[in-house]
Amino acid sequence: MILESFPIGVTNWWYDINNSIQWQHGIFFTLCAFYSFVSIIALIQVIRIHLRIPLYGWSTQKVFHMMNFVANGVGAIVFGLHNNFFMLHSNVLMASAILDLQGLFFFTTFTHLVWFWADVYYKIRSFPTNKLKIWYISINCLIYLILGCIWICIAMNDNDEVVLVKLLFIRKICVAVIPFIAILGVLIYGGRLFIMVWRYFDEWRGGRKKLIELGYVSSICFTCFSIRCFVAVLSCFHHDDRGLDHPVLKMIYYMVVEILPSALFIYILQKLPRRRVSGQYHPII
């Protein structure tokens, strides 16, 4: 093993954390605190936008921050109540199912930006945009439905070890495909919009700032989905779910693919929209 090449003190520290219930509680409660903090900040952003333009309805920015609030709130609940399922070996399947659901919430939240990029790109090119929202909702519903059916089958065959192993492998494949779909969306629509803004940013008011903002957001989305996809593929060849068999690895993983991206999105998209009077009320969605 790789750890055997490290000094004994380092390996002992690594194994001590893995075997220590106190350390695991501390790490999971730390994740809970980070998720809670990001969730609260996202909710504050929703309130600020509503106070700024109370008659504007649910704009894309407002919906995204609300979805960010929900996704991180679910993460806070999952890790805050980790003792109910993470620490019990009899509830390994339930823990995996809950983590899948948590991951789907973040998938839906981050791909909301992809839908927004596609909407902006199609409007600039004068393409019809009425079906984009339908496609976004349909793809998300289909993914939830497929994973839901897989977990129903797993629950019905939990006593058949052969069938259970096959179902769990199919579930891991699905979990790997989901971020890959998001990567394609980021590359296709985020990339197209970035190239378009890069070509004409000198002609647009605030074009340079929008170009930088789009570059940061699309890069963050691409990075976190790529890591998710890599770890999900790795889990297909590993006995442990997601290939993360240590509390420290779990903390690093969820910090990188969920907490930090959510916090960065809130920071990058913190600018409030302009105030509008009631006569200019045109809801986006």
Side-chain angles (χ1 to χ4, degrees):
M1 294 178 61
I2 298 177
L3 287 175
E4 292 178 353
S5 61
F6 286 87
I8 296 177
V10 175
T11 57
N12 287 342
W13 170 83
W14 184 261
Y15 289 122
D16 287 344
I17 292 179
N18 193 36
N19 297 324
S20 173
I21 300 298
Q22 289 77 14
W23 268 102
Q24 295 186 39
H25 282 317
I27 289 174
F28 290 143
F29 280 128
T30 301
L31 284 173
C32 174
F34 280 126
Y35 277 114
S36 300
F37 176 76
V38 176
S39 181
I40 292 171
I41 298 300
L43 181 60
I44 292 174
Q45 281 297 100
V46 173
I47 296 173
R48 291 179 66 205
I49 295 172
H50 180 73
L51 294 176
R52 186 69 174 264
I53 45 174
L55 299 177
Y56 197 63
W58 286 93
S59 64
T60 303
Q61 184 185 18
K62 192 174 181 180
V63 170
F64 173 75
H65 286 307
M66 177 56 72
M67 295 172 70
N68 213 354
F69 160 71
V70 173
N72 282 278
V74 171
I77 294 172
V78 168
F79 286 99
L81 301 177
H82 66 275
N83 198 41
N84 293 335
F85 41 88
F86 287 159
M87 312 300 289
L88 302 177
H89 294 289
S90 59
N91 289 328
V92 172
L93 296 181
M94 184 181 71
S96 299
I98 293 176
L99 290 176
D100 284 350
L101 183 61
Q102 175 189 342
L104 287 180
F105 280 129
F106 279 94
F107 170 83
T108 302
T109 302
F110 293 168
T111 52
H112 186 76
L113 293 173
V114 177
W115 167 73
F116 173 70
W117 296 335
D119 185 73
V120 173
Y121 177 80
Y122 275 48
K123 286 178 178 177
I124 294 175
R125 297 295 299 271
S126 299
F127 295 156
T129 61
N130 54 331
K131 293 184 178 180
L132 288 177
K133 186 177 180 181
I134 297 175
W135 274 105
Y136 168 72
I137 295 175
S138 299
I139 291 174
N140 275 273
C141 289
L142 181 62
I143 290 173
Y144 280 85
L145 179 63
I146 291 174
L147 271 182
C149 291
I150 291 175
W151 278 111
I152 291 174
C153 294
I154 290 174
M156 295 174 61
N157 295 276
D158 59 343
N159 294 323
D160 191 334
E161 186 175 352
V162 176
V163 176
L164 185 62
V165 170
K166 293 181 180 179
L167 288 172
L168 288 175
F169 183 77
I170 294 173
R171 169 246 169 197
K172 289 182 178 181
I173 295 296
C174 291
V175 171
V177 171
I178 290 172
F180 181 74
I181 295 173
I183 291 173
L184 292 179
V186 172
L187 291 177
I188 293 173
Y189 294 110
R192 285 179 176 179
L193 187 60
F194 181 84
I195 292 174
M196 181 174 291
V197 175
W198 177 70
R199 286 179 178 176
Y200 304 105
F201 73 90
D202 287 332
E203 303 175 11
W204 295 346
R205 182 180 178 182
R208 182 179 296 275
K209 185 177 181 180
K210 291 295 182 184
L211 180 66
I212 296 173
E213 178 183 294
L214 177 61
Y216 281 146
V217 173
S218 57
S219 298
I220 294 169
C221 281
F222 178 81
T223 301
C224 70
F225 282 127
S226 298
I227 294 174
R228 275 190 178 276
C229 187
F230 173 77
V231 174
V233 172
L234 184 66
S235 72
C236 295
F237 308 97
H238 198 279
H239 70 278
D240 184 78
D241 189 49
R242 290 175 173 79
L244 305 174
D245 56 356
H246 196 280
V248 174
L249 295 179
K250 287 183 172 69
M251 183 173 185
I252 295 173
Y253 174 77
Y254 288 108
M255 286 289 295
V256 171
V257 303
E258 293 182 352
I259 297 173
L260 287 179
S262 299
L264 289 173
F265 290 151
I266 293 174
Y267 175 76
I268 295 172
L269 305 175
Q270 65 178 314
K271 183 179 179 180
L272 297 179
R274 297 177 181 178
R275 294 185 183 275
R276 300 175 185 266
V277 298
S278 58
Q280 295 177 309
Y281 171 57
H282 298 290
I284 295 178
I285 57 174

